[in-house]
Amino acid sequence: TIKSYLDDVILPALGSLDRRIDDLGRCKEPWAVFERSDIEDVLRETKMAFALAVQSIWERQLRSYLLGCARELRPKEPLGKKIERADWEGLRKLFGDLRGIGLEAFPSFETLDTLQLLGNACRHGDGASAVELSRRCPDLWRPIPPMPFGDQPPQVNLQPVETMEVTVEQLQGFVDAIVEFWQDAEYIYNESIQ
């Protein structure tokens, strides 16, 4: 599902915006510069919206998986509400309790954990997730160019979420991590049957 969403929805939509920006870059009309700037803002916001969508799909898949595990493995325990209301830390704990292995043990975990922070930052804006995200992934923001005459702005530890630049490669990396997680989970399940 997530790979199809990337290939059939995200990439075509971003490609369409890229082509529009290129067309405006070749246009000789004076207004084209202003429209191009507006479309570049739309492209940046669209990438953030797609990052949030990818994170939301992943989280819904994980919750659904955990609900299935709870029904199958602990049918007498009322875990449904816990799973529905759990935050990321709670989901990680529930996964470990139900599956006997922590999410942290999966090779894709670090990327999925970053995706969770990115989703929160895209959804809520500046806050604790954005602070941690800027620490982990400073490449999500463009560097501040040097000022003329040697004047430099004060060092900024946290740039606002509104200036974040999610790349297509980063979106692909998040999708690949989700696919890898589900492949690993299936492998572990199949091995546990034996």
Side-chain angles (χ1 to χ4, degrees):
T1 299
I2 198 69
K3 185 78 169 105
S4 179
Y5 184 65
L6 174 72
D7 294 339
D8 300 332
V9 178
I10 295 175
L11 295 178
L14 296 179
S16 176
L17 288 170
D18 282 334
R19 284 188 298 280
R20 180 75 176 132
I21 290 167
D22 289 343
D23 291 346
L24 289 166
R26 288 188 298 276
C27 183
K28 302 297 182 199
E29 298 296 327
W31 53 263
V33 171
F34 299 104
E35 187 172 339
R36 181 178 179 178
S37 177
D38 289 344
I39 300 300
E40 287 171 342
D41 287 343
V42 169
L43 177 61
R44 188 182 48 73
E45 289 291 339
T46 301
K47 288 183 208 173
M48 287 176 55
F50 280 137
L52 176 57
V54 166
Q55 184 272 327
S56 295
I57 290 169
W58 150 246
E59 187 174 321
R60 283 194 314 272
Q61 288 175 340
L62 182 62
R63 285 180 196 278
S64 178
Y65 175 78
L66 290 175
L67 285 167
C69 290
R71 281 193 295 273
E72 183 181 325
L73 301 171
R74 298 187 189 164
K76 295 188 185 337
E77 293 181 38
L79 293 174
K81 292 288 183 203
K82 273 185 166 179
I83 293 168
E84 289 171 7
R85 294 181 179 156
D87 62 6
W88 178 234
E89 296 300 318
L91 290 173
R92 289 168 53 188
K93 183 179 182 325
L94 286 162
F95 186 91
D97 290 347
L98 287 167
R99 298 308 306 163
I101 184 173
L103 279 174
E104 301 81 9
F106 287 77
S108 56
F109 173 76
E110 187 176 326
T111 304
L112 295 172
D113 194 45
T114 299
L115 175 61
Q116 191 69 25
L117 291 171
L118 180 60
N120 283 342
C122 290
R123 180 180 292 112
H124 302 296
D126 297 333
S129 291
V131 170
E132 178 60 19
L133 192 61
S134 68
R135 187 189 68 73
R136 277 193 209 181
C137 305
D139 59 320
L140 282 168
W141 286 267
R142 282 187 257 167
I144 299 172
M147 301 293 285
F149 310 113
D151 294 339
Q152 292 292 28
Q155 183 66 17
V156 179
N157 292 331
L158 172 65
Q159 296 187 49
V161 169
E162 67 189 30
T163 63
M164 189 167 49
E165 294 275 347
V166 180
T167 66
V168 172
E169 293 77 23
Q170 288 165 327
L171 289 170
Q172 288 172 326
F174 293 129
V175 167
D176 290 345
I178 294 168
V179 170
E180 180 184 355
F181 171 82
W182 290 120
Q183 289 171 341
D184 289 344
E186 181 180 14
Y187 174 80
I188 290 169
Y189 174 77
N190 290 336
E191 288 297 308
S192 70
I193 291 172
Q194 296 175 2

mmCIF file with all atom_site columns, all heavy atoms in Angstrom, residues 17-29:
data_model
loop_
_atom_site.group_PDB
_atom_site.id
_atom_site.type_symbol
_atom_site.label_atom_id
_atom_site.label_alt_id
_atom_site.label_comp_id
_atom_site.label_asym_id
_atom_site.label_entity_id
_atom_site.label_seq_id
_atom_site.pdbx_PDB_ins_code
_atom_site.Cartn_x
_atom_site.Cartn_y
_atom_site.Cartn_z
_atom_site.occupancy
_atom_site.B_iso_or_equiv
_atom_site.pdbx_formal_charge
_atom_site.auth_seq_id
_atom_site.auth_comp_id
_atom_site.auth_asym_id
_atom_site.auth_atom_id
_atom_site.pdbx_PDB_model_num
ATOM 1   N N   . LEU A 1 17 ? 4.226  19.427 -10.084 1.00 0.00 ? 17 LEU A N   1
ATOM 2   C CA  . LEU A 1 17 ? 4.638  20.718 -9.528  1.00 0.00 ? 17 LEU A CA  1
ATOM 3   C C   . LEU A 1 17 ? 6.037  21.104 -10.016 1.00 0.00 ? 17 LEU A C   1
ATOM 4   O O   . LEU A 1 17 ? 6.277  22.277 -10.331 1.00 0.00 ? 17 LEU A O   1
ATOM 5   C CB  . LEU A 1 17 ? 4.588  20.678 -7.997  1.00 0.00 ? 17 LEU A CB  1
ATOM 6   C CG  . LEU A 1 17 ? 3.190  20.667 -7.384  1.00 0.00 ? 17 LEU A CG  1
ATOM 7   C CD1 . LEU A 1 17 ? 3.265  20.391 -5.889  1.00 0.00 ? 17 LEU A CD1 1
ATOM 8   C CD2 . LEU A 1 17 ? 2.468  21.972 -7.652  1.00 0.00 ? 17 LEU A CD2 1
ATOM 9   N N   . ASP A 1 18 ? 6.939  20.129 -10.091 1.00 0.00 ? 18 ASP A N   1
ATOM 10  C CA  . ASP A 1 18 ? 8.289  20.412 -10.609 1.00 0.00 ? 18 ASP A CA  1
ATOM 11  C C   . ASP A 1 18 ? 8.223  20.918 -12.052 1.00 0.00 ? 18 ASP A C   1
ATOM 12  O O   . ASP A 1 18 ? 8.933  21.865 -12.412 1.00 0.00 ? 18 ASP A O   1
ATOM 13  C CB  . ASP A 1 18 ? 9.171  19.160 -10.550 1.00 0.00 ? 18 ASP A CB  1
ATOM 14  C CG  . ASP A 1 18 ? 9.702  18.873 -9.151  1.00 0.00 ? 18 ASP A CG  1
ATOM 15  O OD1 . ASP A 1 18 ? 9.834  19.829 -8.353  1.00 0.00 ? 18 ASP A OD1 1
ATOM 16  O OD2 . ASP A 1 18 ? 9.989  17.697 -8.862  1.00 0.00 ? 18 ASP A OD2 1
ATOM 17  N N   . ARG A 1 19 ? 7.393  20.289 -12.872 1.00 0.00 ? 19 ARG A N   1
ATOM 18  C CA  . ARG A 1 19 ? 7.263  20.729 -14.268 1.00 0.00 ? 19 ARG A CA  1
ATOM 19  C C   . ARG A 1 19 ? 6.701  22.148 -14.347 1.00 0.00 ? 19 ARG A C   1
ATOM 20  O O   . ARG A 1 19 ? 7.157  22.967 -15.146 1.00 0.00 ? 19 ARG A O   1
ATOM 21  C CB  . ARG A 1 19 ? 6.387  19.757 -15.055 1.00 0.00 ? 19 ARG A CB  1
ATOM 22  C CG  . ARG A 1 19 ? 7.107  18.466 -15.411 1.00 0.00 ? 19 ARG A CG  1
ATOM 23  C CD  . ARG A 1 19 ? 6.301  17.586 -16.342 1.00 0.00 ? 19 ARG A CD  1
ATOM 24  N NE  . ARG A 1 19 ? 5.036  17.143 -15.795 1.00 0.00 ? 19 ARG A NE  1
ATOM 25  C CZ  . ARG A 1 19 ? 4.883  16.129 -14.946 1.00 0.00 ? 19 ARG A CZ  1
ATOM 26  N NH1 . ARG A 1 19 ? 5.943  15.438 -14.536 1.00 0.00 ? 19 ARG A NH1 1
ATOM 27  N NH2 . ARG A 1 19 ? 3.688  15.791 -14.509 1.00 0.00 ? 19 ARG A NH2 1
ATOM 28  N N   . ARG A 1 20 ? 5.739  22.460 -13.485 1.00 0.00 ? 20 ARG A N   1
ATOM 29  C CA  . ARG A 1 20 ? 5.163  23.812 -13.470 1.00 0.00 ? 20 ARG A CA  1
ATOM 30  C C   . ARG A 1 20 ? 6.230  24.844 -13.084 1.00 0.00 ? 20 ARG A C   1
ATOM 31  O O   . ARG A 1 20 ? 6.317  25.915 -13.681 1.00 0.00 ? 20 ARG A O   1
ATOM 32  C CB  . ARG A 1 20 ? 3.983  23.869 -12.489 1.00 0.00 ? 20 ARG A CB  1
ATOM 33  C CG  . ARG A 1 20 ? 3.321  25.204 -12.382 1.00 0.00 ? 20 ARG A CG  1
ATOM 34  C CD  . ARG A 1 20 ? 2.463  25.483 -13.591 1.00 0.00 ? 20 ARG A CD  1
ATOM 35  N NE  . ARG A 1 20 ? 1.778  26.758 -13.388 1.00 0.00 ? 20 ARG A NE  1
ATOM 36  C CZ  . ARG A 1 20 ? 1.738  27.709 -14.291 1.00 0.00 ? 20 ARG A CZ  1
ATOM 37  N NH1 . ARG A 1 20 ? 2.276  27.549 -15.470 1.00 0.00 ? 20 ARG A NH1 1
ATOM 38  N NH2 . ARG A 1 20 ? 1.124  28.833 -14.023 1.00 0.00 ? 20 ARG A NH2 1
ATOM 39  N N   . ILE A 1 21 ? 7.053  24.515 -12.114 1.00 0.00 ? 21 ILE A N   1
ATOM 40  C CA  . ILE A 1 21 ? 8.142  25.411 -11.699 1.00 0.00 ? 21 ILE A CA  1
ATOM 41  C C   . ILE A 1 21 ? 9.130  25.604 -12.844 1.00 0.00 ? 21 ILE A C   1
ATOM 42  O O   . ILE A 1 21 ? 9.563  26.738 -13.109 1.00 0.00 ? 21 ILE A O   1
ATOM 43  C CB  . ILE A 1 21 ? 8.833  24.869 -10.421 1.00 0.00 ? 21 ILE A CB  1
ATOM 44  C CG1 . ILE A 1 21 ? 7.885  25.004 -9.220  1.00 0.00 ? 21 ILE A CG1 1
ATOM 45  C CG2 . ILE A 1 21 ? 10.146 25.584 -10.157 1.00 0.00 ? 21 ILE A CG2 1
ATOM 46  C CD1 . ILE A 1 21 ? 8.317  24.227 -7.994  1.00 0.00 ? 21 ILE A CD1 1
ATOM 47  N N   . ASP A 1 22 ? 9.477  24.514 -13.523 1.00 0.00 ? 22 ASP A N   1
ATOM 48  C CA  . ASP A 1 22 ? 10.392 24.619 -14.672 1.00 0.00 ? 22 ASP A CA  1
ATOM 49  C C   . ASP A 1 22 ? 9.798  25.488 -15.777 1.00 0.00 ? 22 ASP A C   1
ATOM 50  O O   . ASP A 1 22 ? 10.500 26.330 -16.359 1.00 0.00 ? 22 ASP A O   1
ATOM 51  C CB  . ASP A 1 22 ? 10.723 23.237 -15.228 1.00 0.00 ? 22 ASP A CB  1
ATOM 52  C CG  . ASP A 1 22 ? 11.618 22.426 -14.300 1.00 0.00 ? 22 ASP A CG  1
ATOM 53  O OD1 . ASP A 1 22 ? 12.233 23.029 -13.391 1.00 0.00 ? 22 ASP A OD1 1
ATOM 54  O OD2 . ASP A 1 22 ? 11.679 21.193 -14.474 1.00 0.00 ? 22 ASP A OD2 1
ATOM 55  N N   . ASP A 1 23 ? 8.509  25.291 -16.079 1.00 0.00 ? 23 ASP A N   1
ATOM 56  C CA  . ASP A 1 23 ? 7.841  26.100 -17.111 1.00 0.00 ? 23 ASP A CA  1
ATOM 57  C C   . ASP A 1 23 ? 7.879  27.580 -16.750 1.00 0.00 ? 23 ASP A C   1
ATOM 58  O O   . ASP A 1 23 ? 8.147  28.432 -17.603 1.00 0.00 ? 23 ASP A O   1
ATOM 59  C CB  . ASP A 1 23 ? 6.390  25.653 -17.309 1.00 0.00 ? 23 ASP A CB  1
ATOM 60  C CG  . ASP A 1 23 ? 6.281  24.280 -17.953 1.00 0.00 ? 23 ASP A CG  1
ATOM 61  O OD1 . ASP A 1 23 ? 7.300  23.782 -18.496 1.00 0.00 ? 23 ASP A OD1 1
ATOM 62  O OD2 . ASP A 1 23 ? 5.170  23.690 -17.896 1.00 0.00 ? 23 ASP A OD2 1
ATOM 63  N N   . LEU A 1 24 ? 7.607  27.878 -15.494 1.00 0.00 ? 24 LEU A N   1
ATOM 64  C CA  . LEU A 1 24 ? 7.620  29.275 -15.053 1.00 0.00 ? 24 LEU A CA  1
ATOM 65  C C   . LEU A 1 24 ? 9.035  29.854 -15.093 1.00 0.00 ? 24 LEU A C   1
ATOM 66  O O   . LEU A 1 24 ? 9.217  31.046 -15.337 1.00 0.00 ? 24 LEU A O   1
ATOM 67  C CB  . LEU A 1 24 ? 7.025  29.403 -13.651 1.00 0.00 ? 24 LEU A CB  1
ATOM 68  C CG  . LEU A 1 24 ? 5.511  29.181 -13.582 1.00 0.00 ? 24 LEU A CG  1
ATOM 69  C CD1 . LEU A 1 24 ? 5.066  28.997 -12.134 1.00 0.00 ? 24 LEU A CD1 1
ATOM 70  C CD2 . LEU A 1 24 ? 4.764  30.330 -14.235 1.00 0.00 ? 24 LEU A CD2 1
ATOM 71  N N   . GLY A 1 25 ? 10.039 29.009 -14.865 1.00 0.00 ? 25 GLY A N   1
ATOM 72  C CA  . GLY A 1 25 ? 11.430 29.463 -14.936 1.00 0.00 ? 25 GLY A CA  1
ATOM 73  C C   . GLY A 1 25 ? 11.840 29.859 -16.353 1.00 0.00 ? 25 GLY A C   1
ATOM 74  O O   . GLY A 1 25 ? 12.707 30.712 -16.532 1.00 0.00 ? 25 GLY A O   1
ATOM 75  N N   . ARG A 1 26 ? 11.216 29.248 -17.337 1.00 0.00 ? 26 ARG A N   1
ATOM 76  C CA  . ARG A 1 26 ? 11.509 29.574 -18.731 1.00 0.00 ? 26 ARG A CA  1
ATOM 77  C C   . ARG A 1 26 ? 10.651 30.716 -19.270 1.00 0.00 ? 26 ARG A C   1
ATOM 78  O O   . ARG A 1 26 ? 10.954 31.283 -20.308 1.00 0.00 ? 26 ARG A O   1
ATOM 79  C CB  . ARG A 1 26 ? 11.310 28.343 -19.609 1.00 0.00 ? 26 ARG A CB  1
ATOM 80  C CG  . ARG A 1 26 ? 12.406 27.298 -19.418 1.00 0.00 ? 26 ARG A CG  1
ATOM 81  C CD  . ARG A 1 26 ? 12.307 26.179 -20.438 1.00 0.00 ? 26 ARG A CD  1
ATOM 82  N NE  . ARG A 1 26 ? 11.068 25.419 -20.352 1.00 0.00 ? 26 ARG A NE  1
ATOM 83  C CZ  . ARG A 1 26 ? 10.843 24.404 -19.516 1.00 0.00 ? 26 ARG A CZ  1
ATOM 84  N NH1 . ARG A 1 26 ? 11.792 24.017 -18.702 1.00 0.00 ? 26 ARG A NH1 1
ATOM 85  N NH2 . ARG A 1 26 ? 9.693  23.768 -19.516 1.00 0.00 ? 26 ARG A NH2 1
ATOM 86  N N   . CYS A 1 27 ? 9.588  31.043 -18.574 1.00 0.00 ? 27 CYS A N   1
ATOM 87  C CA  . CYS A 1 27 ? 8.677  32.100 -19.019 1.00 0.00 ? 27 CYS A CA  1
ATOM 88  C C   . CYS A 1 27 ? 9.343  33.472 -18.874 1.00 0.00 ? 27 CYS A C   1
ATOM 89  O O   . CYS A 1 27 ? 9.973  33.770 -17.853 1.00 0.00 ? 27 CYS A O   1
ATOM 90  C CB  . CYS A 1 27 ? 7.392  32.050 -18.199 1.00 0.00 ? 27 CYS A CB  1
ATOM 91  S SG  . CYS A 1 27 ? 6.156  33.241 -18.718 1.00 0.00 ? 27 CYS A SG  1
ATOM 92  N N   . LYS A 1 28 ? 9.196  34.297 -19.889 1.00 0.00 ? 28 LYS A N   1
ATOM 93  C CA  . LYS A 1 28 ? 9.835  35.625 -19.899 1.00 0.00 ? 28 LYS A CA  1
ATOM 94  C C   . LYS A 1 28 ? 8.940  36.723 -19.317 1.00 0.00 ? 28 LYS A C   1
ATOM 95  O O   . LYS A 1 28 ? 9.369  37.855 -19.177 1.00 0.00 ? 28 LYS A O   1
ATOM 96  C CB  . LYS A 1 28 ? 10.222 36.007 -21.341 1.00 0.00 ? 28 LYS A CB  1
ATOM 97  C CG  . LYS A 1 28 ? 11.156 35.020 -22.012 1.00 0.00 ? 28 LYS A CG  1
ATOM 98  C CD  . LYS A 1 28 ? 12.482 34.949 -21.288 1.00 0.00 ? 28 LYS A CD  1
ATOM 99  C CE  . LYS A 1 28 ? 13.413 33.992 -22.014 1.00 0.00 ? 28 LYS A CE  1
ATOM 100 N NZ  . LYS A 1 28 ? 14.493 33.533 -21.205 1.00 0.00 ? 28 LYS A NZ  1
ATOM 101 N N   . GLU A 1 29 ? 7.718  36.379 -19.000 1.00 0.00 ? 29 GLU A N   1
ATOM 102 C CA  . GLU A 1 29 ? 6.799  37.381 -18.451 1.00 0.00 ? 29 GLU A CA  1
ATOM 103 C C   . GLU A 1 29 ? 7.229  37.769 -17.036 1.00 0.00 ? 29 GLU A C   1
ATOM 104 O O   . GLU A 1 29 ? 7.655  36.906 -16.246 1.00 0.00 ? 29 GLU A O   1
ATOM 105 C CB  . GLU A 1 29 ? 5.368  36.834 -18.416 1.00 0.00 ? 29 GLU A CB  1
ATOM 106 C CG  . GLU A 1 29 ? 4.800  36.495 -19.776 1.00 0.00 ? 29 GLU A CG  1
ATOM 107 C CD  . GLU A 1 29 ? 4.645  37.712 -20.664 1.00 0.00 ? 29 GLU A CD  1
ATOM 108 O OE1 . GLU A 1 29 ? 4.359  38.807 -20.136 1.00 0.00 ? 29 GLU A OE1 1
ATOM 109 O OE2 . GLU A 1 29 ? 4.816  37.571 -21.884 1.00 0.00 ? 29 GLU A OE2 1
#
